[in-house]
Amino acid sequence: MKLLWAVSALLLSCWRADASTAGFIKSPLSQMKLINDSAEMHCEVVGNPIPEVQWWFVEGEEPNETFTQLFDGARNDHVKINATYIAHATSTIHLTSLTPADSGTYECRASNDPDRNELKKTPKIKWIRSQANIIVIETPNIHTEPPEVSNQTSAMLSCNLTDGNLPIKGSYWIHNGKIIEGSKTSDGKSHTTLKLEKITHANSGKYECVFETDPLVNQTIEVKTPPHVAAYKHSEHGNENDKVVLVCVSHGYPLPTDWVWFKERENETPLLLTNGTTEKYEISSTSNKTSLTINDLNIDSDLGNYMCSGTSELGTADDKIYLRVRSRLAALWPFLGIVAEVIILVTIIFIYEKRRKPDEVNDDDDSGSAPLKSNSNANHKDKNVRQRNSN
Amino acid sequence: MPPAAVTNLGYTPPDGGWGWAVVFGAFISIGFSYAFPKSLTIYFKEIQEYFSVSYSEIAWVSSVMLASMYAGGPVSSVLVNRYGSRPVVIAGGVLVCTAMVLASFGTNIIHLYLCVGLIGGFGLAFNLQPSLTIIGTYFQAKRPLANGLAMTGSPVVLSTLAPLNQFLFDSFGWRGSFLILGSIVLNCCVAGALMRPVNKSIQRKTNNEASKCNSEAAEELAAAVDTSTHSDNLQTEEHQSEKKGQGFIQKFTDVSLFRHRGFLIYLIGNVVLFFGFFAPVVFLAPYAKHQGIDEYSAAFLLSMFALVDMFIRPATGLIGNTKWIRPRIQYFFSFAVLYNGICHLMCPLASGYTGLAVYAVFFGLAFGMLSALLFEVLMDLVGAHRFSSAVGLATIIECGPVLLGPPISGALVDYFGDYKYMYYACGVFMLVSGIFFFIMHYYNYKKLDEEHRLTAAAETGSPEEAVQLKMNQDDRTVTETDE
């Protein structure tokens, strides 16, 4: 009997020998985030069988800690958990729209013990745990001077980081998403400036001062100018009964919100062209480009100046395009002229030829290039003189 | 030396007189043939936007035009063999004119492929071959010069057409320009009208005079002897019996050319050569821009190249005509090919704008030399009366490398991201081709000299010797016809 027990215990332990306990290969990292920012933590565990991973939120101090388990969709859908269980277990937790209440310790728990969910046993024993802190801080105030630039010829932009809690490594400026060369500093000062000497539509836009803290903090200053409207080509040609497309583009910030096209008339107010009233005019506009398509050009009435006008909150700008309509037959006259010249020349050449040698007209095959005729120089072996075959 | 052993044409070409008017006509015809497809590229951007197609689709128009120009070669040589040069050139001019007029009414891109590409290309083929052929019938002693002058048409017409096309486009739009271009191309008919068929019946007199054994004339005539004379003499003797059995095809084109040693050398060498011939021209401006040179200076490089090309072609013709070069003109051609190759291999060494300008000048020299001699050497090898078939066959076979060359080079540039590999590749093609030509022509000349000595001895030697040599020759003929 004892032998039987010993053997079965041995067999059981052998069978359980290839099982390995769970172990972390990747632990979640602590982070500091701003309010309304989002955070992500990653946890990877190996073990055989594949362990189960859970996320828990820890509040309070030891020994009065409270544990709350987080699941996918918790906190009003601000929590998302993504887990895969292939070869080993991975789990990623996303926290969005962070509030100060989200600050705390987050715990990644894993276990492959088959008894792990037994309520009668203490959880700590069967689960391995790894913790990380998330601290959500108020966005530090950056004071911008001036807060907005509107219709000025030059400006000095400055940013001042007033909350001095975070260590500052350096700062730089961004214009329209691209870092401005030469604006990067590593002096750790909480104050940075950028000088714009000449403000035109080319360098208007959104300027961001960025402080290299952990996490990065930035503030935007908008530099606004009146719209600048330019036509692709100031002189356009169209063919009669064909269609033509007139295009205007705009640069700068902010871009026009409204585009209008006018046709100028002599001694009258310009005609406002609108979409859809007739088949003749089609206007399609985006914020930086507008195009007017004129169908079925008429050589008399469609000739003239067309004006495109773009309006933004800072004003209106426009440009003119002069449209020329070519007659269908415009190219016909040179064509006929040159054809006439060719016919005259050919006639002259033929007449000259006929007159020079009226009695020696060669009406035999003048090619002499057909291969069979090459035996005109057949070298008969028994004669010294070459024979010429007259064709 | 028998006085009539000058040419095997059966008459003495005038070498002047109306011949120069024919050269002018050929100048215009050849000019349009080569320059027209290149100058149409100015309209491509506008047409591309009008039909909303991609760049490669519009580039096909040029390729189709070039392809049908080369493919139309045999057709055109068949027609020239039957009807002579003049009707074919006039027909070609009318064809291109119709093609352009039809194209100006085009409603989609396929319409353009058919009209401009296919019909236009064919019409241009009808211009190219006959022009070259008729020069061979009018000139013998001054033929390299005449060829050089005629080939100058290409750069001259190109440099006139390019700004003209731009002006037409600005004034009339692409449809109007196509219409007017159609009428301009009709001037090829004028060129064709000038190509009066050569008068063969007045030659008896000149030959009688020559038979007075004027030593000076005999020297000149001796200097004007072709390699073709020798090869053709032998061939007519050896193949006389075979000729009777020739059938339908022989009436239209001379397929026996493929057994002609000189023609085969020319063909093989040219196929390799054309892979690297046009690509450097196409890529000169993009290469300059890649080096950081601005657009206008890059365009000026091309103008420099074209200018040098324009002047070097008649000059090469003149040099090829001198009594030192003329008998061994094949070596001159091989040298031109080698020079091209060396130019390309040295191009990557050129740095900055001055380097590229120097390269453009040398390349212009090389390109012009080669172009001027390209058809002259073929005439020299096969003789004037087989030339039209030869050039037809040669162009259709060259069609492949001409079309594949630039895209392959473009692929090389894209793959390596650097232009220098493309230049190395082109240089290597030309170098290999040039060396091939040198070696094969050395061998060819040796063989021809041998054959010439045999025939000369057979005609003027002592009776015993003559009998002995004739027996040897007869044996050879018998064994060869038995094969």
Side-chain angles (χ1 to χ4, degrees), chain A residues 24 27-30 41 43 55-59 62 65 67 104-109 128-134:
Chain A
F24 283 105
S27 298
L29 299 169
S30 297
M41 283 185 292
C43 190
W55 289 94
W56 289 77
F57 182 53
V58 187
E59 279 172 290
E62 268 197 56
E65 298 162 324
F67 294 91
T105 309
Y106 287 79
E107 203 174 76
C108 173
R109 289 190 190 175
I128 55 171
R129 307 182 298 163
S130 177
Q131 287 184 340
N133 286 326
I134 291 203

PDB file of all heavy atoms in Angstrom, chain A residues 24 27-30 41 43 55-59 62 65 67 104-109 128-134:
ATOM      1  N   PHE A  24       7.178  37.360 -14.568  1.00  0.00           N
ATOM      2  CA  PHE A  24       7.059  38.566 -15.405  1.00  0.00           C
ATOM      3  C   PHE A  24       8.241  38.673 -16.360  1.00  0.00           C
ATOM      4  O   PHE A  24       9.390  38.563 -15.939  1.00  0.00           O
ATOM      5  CB  PHE A  24       7.036  39.828 -14.532  1.00  0.00           C
ATOM      6  CG  PHE A  24       5.711  40.061 -13.854  1.00  0.00           C
ATOM      7  CD1 PHE A  24       5.563  39.810 -12.506  1.00  0.00           C
ATOM      8  CD2 PHE A  24       4.623  40.533 -14.578  1.00  0.00           C
ATOM      9  CE1 PHE A  24       4.334  40.031 -11.885  1.00  0.00           C
ATOM     10  CE2 PHE A  24       3.404  40.739 -13.963  1.00  0.00           C
ATOM     11  CZ  PHE A  24       3.253  40.496 -12.624  1.00  0.00           C
ATOM     12  N   SER A  27       7.238  44.381 -17.067  1.00  0.00           N
ATOM     13  CA  SER A  27       6.430  44.955 -15.995  1.00  0.00           C
ATOM     14  C   SER A  27       5.932  46.327 -16.388  1.00  0.00           C
ATOM     15  O   SER A  27       6.573  47.000 -17.200  1.00  0.00           O
ATOM     16  CB  SER A  27       7.274  45.094 -14.729  1.00  0.00           C
ATOM     17  OG  SER A  27       7.695  43.833 -14.300  1.00  0.00           O
ATOM     18  N   PRO A  28       4.816  46.755 -15.821  1.00  0.00           N
ATOM     19  CA  PRO A  28       4.329  48.106 -16.156  1.00  0.00           C
ATOM     20  C   PRO A  28       5.260  49.178 -15.595  1.00  0.00           C
ATOM     21  O   PRO A  28       5.938  48.980 -14.594  1.00  0.00           O
ATOM     22  CB  PRO A  28       2.956  48.159 -15.478  1.00  0.00           C
ATOM     23  CG  PRO A  28       3.003  47.109 -14.425  1.00  0.00           C
ATOM     24  CD  PRO A  28       3.928  46.058 -14.889  1.00  0.00           C
ATOM     25  N   LEU A  29       5.289  50.353 -16.310  1.00  0.00           N
ATOM     26  CA  LEU A  29       6.198  51.445 -15.940  1.00  0.00           C
ATOM     27  C   LEU A  29       5.416  52.589 -15.319  1.00  0.00           C
ATOM     28  O   LEU A  29       4.301  52.895 -15.752  1.00  0.00           O
ATOM     29  CB  LEU A  29       6.928  51.964 -17.178  1.00  0.00           C
ATOM     30  CG  LEU A  29       7.796  50.941 -17.886  1.00  0.00           C
ATOM     31  CD1 LEU A  29       8.238  51.488 -19.239  1.00  0.00           C
ATOM     32  CD2 LEU A  29       9.018  50.608 -17.057  1.00  0.00           C
ATOM     33  N   SER A  30       6.045  53.256 -14.343  1.00  0.00           N
ATOM     34  CA  SER A  30       5.404  54.408 -13.714  1.00  0.00           C
ATOM     35  C   SER A  30       5.481  55.620 -14.620  1.00  0.00           C
ATOM     36  O   SER A  30       6.463  55.808 -15.332  1.00  0.00           O
ATOM     37  CB  SER A  30       6.112  54.747 -12.405  1.00  0.00           C
ATOM     38  OG  SER A  30       5.968  53.676 -11.513  1.00  0.00           O
ATOM     39  N   MET A  41      -0.176  51.119 -19.993  1.00  0.00           N
ATOM     40  CA  MET A  41       0.786  50.262 -19.285  1.00  0.00           C
ATOM     41  C   MET A  41       0.760  48.874 -19.871  1.00  0.00           C
ATOM     42  O   MET A  41      -0.301  48.378 -20.265  1.00  0.00           O
ATOM     43  CB  MET A  41       0.438  50.225 -17.795  1.00  0.00           C
ATOM     44  CG  MET A  41       0.862  51.484 -17.071  1.00  0.00           C
ATOM     45  SD  MET A  41       0.592  51.397 -15.316  1.00  0.00           S
ATOM     46  CE  MET A  41      -1.171  51.401 -15.236  1.00  0.00           C
ATOM     47  N   CYS A  43       2.093  44.725 -19.727  1.00  0.00           N
ATOM     48  CA  CYS A  43       2.500  43.667 -18.815  1.00  0.00           C
ATOM     49  C   CYS A  43       2.612  42.366 -19.589  1.00  0.00           C
ATOM     50  O   CYS A  43       1.689  41.998 -20.319  1.00  0.00           O
ATOM     51  CB  CYS A  43       1.419  43.575 -17.725  1.00  0.00           C
ATOM     52  SG  CYS A  43       1.845  42.553 -16.344  1.00  0.00           S
ATOM     53  N   TRP A  55      -5.733  43.368 -13.973  1.00  0.00           N
ATOM     54  CA  TRP A  55      -5.283  44.701 -13.553  1.00  0.00           C
ATOM     55  C   TRP A  55      -6.103  45.139 -12.347  1.00  0.00           C
ATOM     56  O   TRP A  55      -7.326  45.043 -12.343  1.00  0.00           O
ATOM     57  CB  TRP A  55      -5.469  45.703 -14.696  1.00  0.00           C
ATOM     58  CG  TRP A  55      -4.504  45.497 -15.844  1.00  0.00           C
ATOM     59  CD1 TRP A  55      -4.712  44.792 -16.958  1.00  0.00           C
ATOM     60  CD2 TRP A  55      -3.173  46.010 -15.921  1.00  0.00           C
ATOM     61  NE1 TRP A  55      -3.621  44.826 -17.771  1.00  0.00           N
ATOM     62  CE2 TRP A  55      -2.646  45.572 -17.156  1.00  0.00           C
ATOM     63  CE3 TRP A  55      -2.387  46.815 -15.088  1.00  0.00           C
ATOM     64  CZ2 TRP A  55      -1.361  45.886 -17.575  1.00  0.00           C
ATOM     65  CZ3 TRP A  55      -1.099  47.129 -15.525  1.00  0.00           C
ATOM     66  CH2 TRP A  55      -0.582  46.663 -16.751  1.00  0.00           C
ATOM     67  N   TRP A  56      -5.397  45.637 -11.342  1.00  0.00           N
ATOM     68  CA  TRP A  56      -6.046  46.099 -10.119  1.00  0.00           C
ATOM     69  C   TRP A  56      -5.588  47.510  -9.805  1.00  0.00           C
ATOM     70  O   TRP A  56      -4.451  47.881 -10.047  1.00  0.00           O
ATOM     71  CB  TRP A  56      -5.712  45.162  -8.953  1.00  0.00           C
ATOM     72  CG  TRP A  56      -6.384  43.819  -9.062  1.00  0.00           C
ATOM     73  CD1 TRP A  56      -6.035  42.794  -9.860  1.00  0.00           C
ATOM     74  CD2 TRP A  56      -7.508  43.379  -8.317  1.00  0.00           C
ATOM     75  NE1 TRP A  56      -6.872  41.730  -9.674  1.00  0.00           N
ATOM     76  CE2 TRP A  56      -7.788  42.050  -8.741  1.00  0.00           C
ATOM     77  CE3 TRP A  56      -8.325  43.974  -7.315  1.00  0.00           C
ATOM     78  CZ2 TRP A  56      -8.844  41.323  -8.215  1.00  0.00           C
ATOM     79  CZ3 TRP A  56      -9.369  43.210  -6.816  1.00  0.00           C
ATOM     80  CH2 TRP A  56      -9.628  41.905  -7.245  1.00  0.00           C
ATOM     81  N   PHE A  57      -6.511  48.306  -9.241  1.00  0.00           N
ATOM     82  CA  PHE A  57      -6.180  49.664  -8.837  1.00  0.00           C
ATOM     83  C   PHE A  57      -6.061  49.688  -7.311  1.00  0.00           C
ATOM     84  O   PHE A  57      -6.965  49.248  -6.607  1.00  0.00           O
ATOM     85  CB  PHE A  57      -7.285  50.608  -9.325  1.00  0.00           C
ATOM     86  CG  PHE A  57      -7.029  52.055  -9.019  1.00  0.00           C
ATOM     87  CD1 PHE A  57      -5.838  52.680  -9.395  1.00  0.00           C
ATOM     88  CD2 PHE A  57      -7.982  52.811  -8.335  1.00  0.00           C
ATOM     89  CE1 PHE A  57      -5.613  54.006  -9.107  1.00  0.00           C
ATOM     90  CE2 PHE A  57      -7.760  54.143  -8.066  1.00  0.00           C
ATOM     91  CZ  PHE A  57      -6.574  54.737  -8.439  1.00  0.00           C
ATOM     92  N   VAL A  58      -4.926  50.186  -6.804  1.00  0.00           N
ATOM     93  CA  VAL A  58      -4.672  50.157  -5.360  1.00  0.00           C
ATOM     94  C   VAL A  58      -4.823  51.550  -4.786  1.00  0.00           C
ATOM     95  O   VAL A  58      -4.170  52.493  -5.262  1.00  0.00           O
ATOM     96  CB  VAL A  58      -3.245  49.646  -5.069  1.00  0.00           C
ATOM     97  CG1 VAL A  58      -3.052  49.447  -3.578  1.00  0.00           C
ATOM     98  CG2 VAL A  58      -2.976  48.370  -5.844  1.00  0.00           C
ATOM     99  N   GLU A  59      -5.658  51.714  -3.775  1.00  0.00           N
ATOM    100  CA  GLU A  59      -5.798  53.018  -3.109  1.00  0.00           C
ATOM    101  C   GLU A  59      -5.476  52.870  -1.634  1.00  0.00           C
ATOM    102  O   GLU A  59      -5.701  51.820  -1.052  1.00  0.00           O
ATOM    103  CB  GLU A  59      -7.242  53.533  -3.247  1.00  0.00           C
ATOM    104  CG  GLU A  59      -7.513  54.189  -4.584  1.00  0.00           C
ATOM    105  CD  GLU A  59      -8.971  54.501  -4.769  1.00  0.00           C
ATOM    106  OE1 GLU A  59      -9.767  53.542  -4.921  1.00  0.00           O
ATOM    107  OE2 GLU A  59      -9.337  55.705  -4.751  1.00  0.00           O
ATOM    108  N   GLU A  62      -0.672  51.047   3.100  1.00  0.00           N
ATOM    109  CA  GLU A  62      -0.652  49.770   3.847  1.00  0.00           C
ATOM    110  C   GLU A  62      -0.862  50.051   5.320  1.00  0.00           C
ATOM    111  O   GLU A  62      -0.334  51.015   5.853  1.00  0.00           O
ATOM    112  CB  GLU A  62       0.705  49.071   3.633  1.00  0.00           C
ATOM    113  CG  GLU A  62       0.646  48.119   2.457  1.00  0.00           C
ATOM    114  CD  GLU A  62       1.791  47.118   2.457  1.00  0.00           C
ATOM    115  OE1 GLU A  62       1.985  46.391   3.430  1.00  0.00           O
ATOM    116  OE2 GLU A  62       2.491  47.109   1.428  1.00  0.00           O
ATOM    117  N   GLU A  65      -5.178  49.097   2.541  1.00  0.00           N
ATOM    118  CA  GLU A  65      -5.299  49.329   1.100  1.00  0.00           C
ATOM    119  C   GLU A  65      -6.628  48.804   0.595  1.00  0.00           C
ATOM    120  O   GLU A  65      -7.141  47.801   1.100  1.00  0.00           O
ATOM    121  CB  GLU A  65      -4.192  48.580   0.363  1.00  0.00           C
ATOM    122  CG  GLU A  65      -2.796  49.066   0.755  1.00  0.00           C
ATOM    123  CD  GLU A  65      -1.731  48.059   0.360  1.00  0.00           C
ATOM    124  OE1 GLU A  65      -1.975  46.839   0.445  1.00  0.00           O
ATOM    125  OE2 GLU A  65      -0.642  48.503  -0.063  1.00  0.00           O
ATOM    126  N   PHE A  67      -8.421  47.457  -2.870  1.00  0.00           N
ATOM    127  CA  PHE A  67      -8.104  46.992  -4.230  1.00  0.00           C
ATOM    128  C   PHE A  67      -9.366  46.995  -5.068  1.00  0.00           C
ATOM    129  O   PHE A  67     -10.413  46.501  -4.655  1.00  0.00           O
ATOM    130  CB  PHE A  67      -7.539  45.573  -4.196  1.00  0.00           C
ATOM    131  CG  PHE A  67      -6.204  45.482  -3.520  1.00  0.00           C
ATOM    132  CD1 PHE A  67      -6.122  45.232  -2.149  1.00  0.00           C
ATOM    133  CD2 PHE A  67      -5.024  45.647  -4.252  1.00  0.00           C
ATOM    134  CE1 PHE A  67      -4.881  45.153  -1.540  1.00  0.00           C
ATOM    135  CE2 PHE A  67      -3.797  45.559  -3.631  1.00  0.00           C
ATOM    136  CZ  PHE A  67      -3.721  45.304  -2.266  1.00  0.00           C
ATOM    137  N   GLY A 104      -2.634  57.002  -8.793  1.00  0.00           N
ATOM    138  CA  GLY A 104      -2.541  55.914  -7.825  1.00  0.00           C
ATOM    139  C   GLY A 104      -1.638  54.827  -8.329  1.00  0.00           C
ATOM    140  O   GLY A 104      -0.927  54.986  -9.328  1.00  0.00           O
ATOM    141  N   THR A 105      -1.704  53.692  -7.628  1.00  0.00           N
ATOM    142  CA  THR A 105      -0.865  52.560  -7.985  1.00  0.00           C
ATOM    143  C   THR A 105      -1.686  51.559  -8.776  1.00  0.00           C
ATOM    144  O   THR A 105      -2.804  51.197  -8.380  1.00  0.00           O
ATOM    145  CB  THR A 105      -0.327  51.877  -6.718  1.00  0.00           C
ATOM    146  OG1 THR A 105       0.252  52.877  -5.897  1.00  0.00           O
ATOM    147  CG2 THR A 105       0.726  50.855  -7.095  1.00  0.00           C
ATOM    148  N   TYR A 106      -1.136  51.123  -9.876  1.00  0.00           N
ATOM    149  CA  TYR A 106      -1.800  50.133 -10.699  1.00  0.00           C
ATOM    150  C   TYR A 106      -1.012  48.834 -10.609  1.00  0.00           C
ATOM    151  O   TYR A 106       0.214  48.830 -10.688  1.00  0.00           O
ATOM    152  CB  TYR A 106      -1.892  50.616 -12.145  1.00  0.00           C
ATOM    153  CG  TYR A 106      -2.904  51.723 -12.331  1.00  0.00           C
ATOM    154  CD1 TYR A 106      -2.585  53.038 -11.973  1.00  0.00           C
ATOM    155  CD2 TYR A 106      -4.179  51.452 -12.828  1.00  0.00           C
ATOM    156  CE1 TYR A 106      -3.508  54.046 -12.113  1.00  0.00           C
ATOM    157  CE2 TYR A 106      -5.105  52.465 -12.973  1.00  0.00           C
ATOM    158  CZ  TYR A 106      -4.775  53.764 -12.612  1.00  0.00           C
ATOM    159  OH  TYR A 106      -5.703  54.769 -12.749  1.00  0.00           O
ATOM    160  N   GLU A 107      -1.730  47.745 -10.456  1.00  0.00           N
ATOM    161  CA  GLU A 107      -1.070  46.465 -10.216  1.00  0.00           C
ATOM    162  C   GLU A 107      -1.428  45.499 -11.318  1.00  0.00           C
ATOM    163  O   GLU A 107      -2.592  45.337 -11.673  1.00  0.00           O
ATOM    164  CB  GLU A 107      -1.590  45.924  -8.885  1.00  0.00           C
ATOM    165  CG  GLU A 107      -0.681  44.943  -8.227  1.00  0.00           C
ATOM    166  CD  GLU A 107      -1.215  44.569  -6.836  1.00  0.00           C
ATOM    167  OE1 GLU A 107      -2.191  43.775  -6.811  1.00  0.00           O
ATOM    168  OE2 GLU A 107      -0.684  45.070  -5.844  1.00  0.00           O
ATOM    169  N   CYS A 108      -0.356  44.855 -11.840  1.00  0.00           N
ATOM    170  CA  CYS A 108      -0.591  43.806 -12.835  1.00  0.00           C
ATOM    171  C   CYS A 108      -0.429  42.485 -12.102  1.00  0.00           C
ATOM    172  O   CYS A 108       0.621  42.215 -11.520  1.00  0.00           O
ATOM    173  CB  CYS A 108       0.450  43.945 -13.951  1.00  0.00           C
ATOM    174  SG  CYS A 108       0.425  42.606 -15.159  1.00  0.00           S
ATOM    175  N   ARG A 109      -1.491  41.644 -12.081  1.00  0.00           N
ATOM    176  CA  ARG A 109      -1.434  40.374 -11.355  1.00  0.00           C
ATOM    177  C   ARG A 109      -1.510  39.221 -12.333  1.00  0.00           C
ATOM    178  O   ARG A 109      -2.292  39.262 -13.272  1.00  0.00           O
ATOM    179  CB  ARG A 109      -2.629  40.252 -10.409  1.00  0.00           C
ATOM    180  CG  ARG A 109      -2.570  41.167  -9.234  1.00  0.00           C
ATOM    181  CD  ARG A 109      -3.648  40.794  -8.258  1.00  0.00           C
ATOM    182  NE  ARG A 109      -3.762  41.803  -7.208  1.00  0.00           N
ATOM    183  CZ  ARG A 109      -4.695  41.788  -6.264  1.00  0.00           C
ATOM    184  NH1 ARG A 109      -5.603  40.832  -6.262  1.00  0.00           N
ATOM    185  NH2 ARG A 109      -4.749  42.726  -5.353  1.00  0.00           N
ATOM    186  N   ILE A 128       1.179  36.424  -8.674  1.00  0.00           N
ATOM    187  CA  ILE A 128       2.366  37.301  -8.651  1.00  0.00           C
ATOM    188  C   ILE A 128       1.912  38.697  -9.060  1.00  0.00           C
ATOM    189  O   ILE A 128       0.972  38.851  -9.842  1.00  0.00           O
ATOM    190  CB  ILE A 128       3.493  36.809  -9.581  1.00  0.00           C
ATOM    191  CG1 ILE A 128       2.967  36.635 -11.026  1.00  0.00           C
ATOM    192  CG2 ILE A 128       4.095  35.526  -9.064  1.00  0.00           C
ATOM    193  CD1 ILE A 128       4.062  36.365 -12.040  1.00  0.00           C
ATOM    194  N   ARG A 129       2.587  39.709  -8.506  1.00  0.00           N
ATOM    195  CA  ARG A 129       2.122  41.065  -8.733  1.00  0.00           C
ATOM    196  C   ARG A 129       3.268  41.981  -9.130  1.00  0.00           C
ATOM    197  O   ARG A 129       4.408  41.799  -8.702  1.00  0.00           O
ATOM    198  CB  ARG A 129       1.475  41.619  -7.466  1.00  0.00           C
ATOM    199  CG  ARG A 129       0.398  40.718  -6.924  1.00  0.00           C
ATOM    200  CD  ARG A 129      -0.267  41.298  -5.715  1.00  0.00           C
ATOM    201  NE  ARG A 129       0.652  41.497  -4.602  1.00  0.00           N
ATOM    202  CZ  ARG A 129       0.365  42.282  -3.574  1.00  0.00           C
ATOM    203  NH1 ARG A 129      -0.774  42.937  -3.541  1.00  0.00           N
ATOM    204  NH2 ARG A 129       1.225  42.416  -2.584  1.00  0.00           N
ATOM    205  N   SER A 130       2.944  42.973  -9.968  1.00  0.00           N
ATOM    206  CA  SER A 130       3.928  43.998 -10.306  1.00  0.00           C
ATOM    207  C   SER A 130       3.202  45.331 -10.335  1.00  0.00           C
ATOM    208  O   SER A 130       2.112  45.440 -10.908  1.00  0.00           O
ATOM    209  CB  SER A 130       4.527  43.685 -11.675  1.00  0.00           C
ATOM    210  OG  SER A 130       5.414  44.690 -12.056  1.00  0.00           O
ATOM    211  N   GLN A 131       3.805  46.354  -9.726  1.00  0.00           N
ATOM    212  CA  GLN A 131       3.086  47.614  -9.560  1.00  0.00           C
ATOM    213  C   GLN A 131       3.742  48.755 -10.312  1.00  0.00           C
ATOM    214  O   GLN A 131       4.947  48.751 -10.559  1.00  0.00           O
ATOM    215  CB  GLN A 131       3.032  47.989  -8.079  1.00  0.00           C
ATOM    216  CG  GLN A 131       2.087  47.135  -7.281  1.00  0.00           C
ATOM    217  CD  GLN A 131       2.005  47.608  -5.847  1.00  0.00           C
ATOM    218  OE1 GLN A 131       2.895  48.322  -5.362  1.00  0.00           O
ATOM    219  NE2 GLN A 131       0.961  47.207  -5.156  1.00  0.00           N
ATOM    220  N   ALA A 132       2.914  49.763 -10.659  1.00  0.00           N
ATOM    221  CA  ALA A 132       3.444  51.001 -11.258  1.00  0.00           C
ATOM    222  C   ALA A 132       2.554  52.145 -10.804  1.00  0.00           C
ATOM    223  O   ALA A 132       1.354  51.955 -10.569  1.00  0.00           O
ATOM    224  CB  ALA A 132       3.439  50.900 -12.782  1.00  0.00           C
ATOM    225  N   ASN A 133       3.145  53.315 -10.712  1.00  0.00           N
ATOM    226  CA  ASN A 133       2.392  54.493 -10.272  1.00  0.00           C
ATOM    227  C   ASN A 133       2.020  55.372 -11.435  1.00  0.00           C
ATOM    228  O   ASN A 133       2.822  55.571 -12.345  1.00  0.00           O
ATOM    229  CB  ASN A 133       3.247  55.336  -9.319  1.00  0.00           C
ATOM    230  CG  ASN A 133       3.360  54.664  -7.980  1.00  0.00           C
ATOM    231  OD1 ASN A 133       2.433  54.010  -7.521  1.00  0.00           O
ATOM    232  ND2 ASN A 133       4.513  54.812  -7.352  1.00  0.00           N
ATOM    233  N   ILE A 134       0.804  55.918 -11.358  1.00  0.00           N
ATOM    234  CA  ILE A 134       0.451  56.958 -12.329  1.00  0.00           C
ATOM    235  C   ILE A 134       0.074  58.191 -11.515  1.00  0.00           C
ATOM    236  O   ILE A 134      -0.783  58.121 -10.632  1.00  0.00           O
ATOM    237  CB  ILE A 134      -0.737  56.514 -13.214  1.00  0.00           C
ATOM    238  CG1 ILE A 134      -0.271  55.397 -14.125  1.00  0.00           C
ATOM    239  CG2 ILE A 134      -1.231  57.712 -14.036  1.00  0.00           C
ATOM    240  CD1 ILE A 134      -1.072  55.207 -15.369  1.00  0.00           C
TER     241      ILE A 134
END
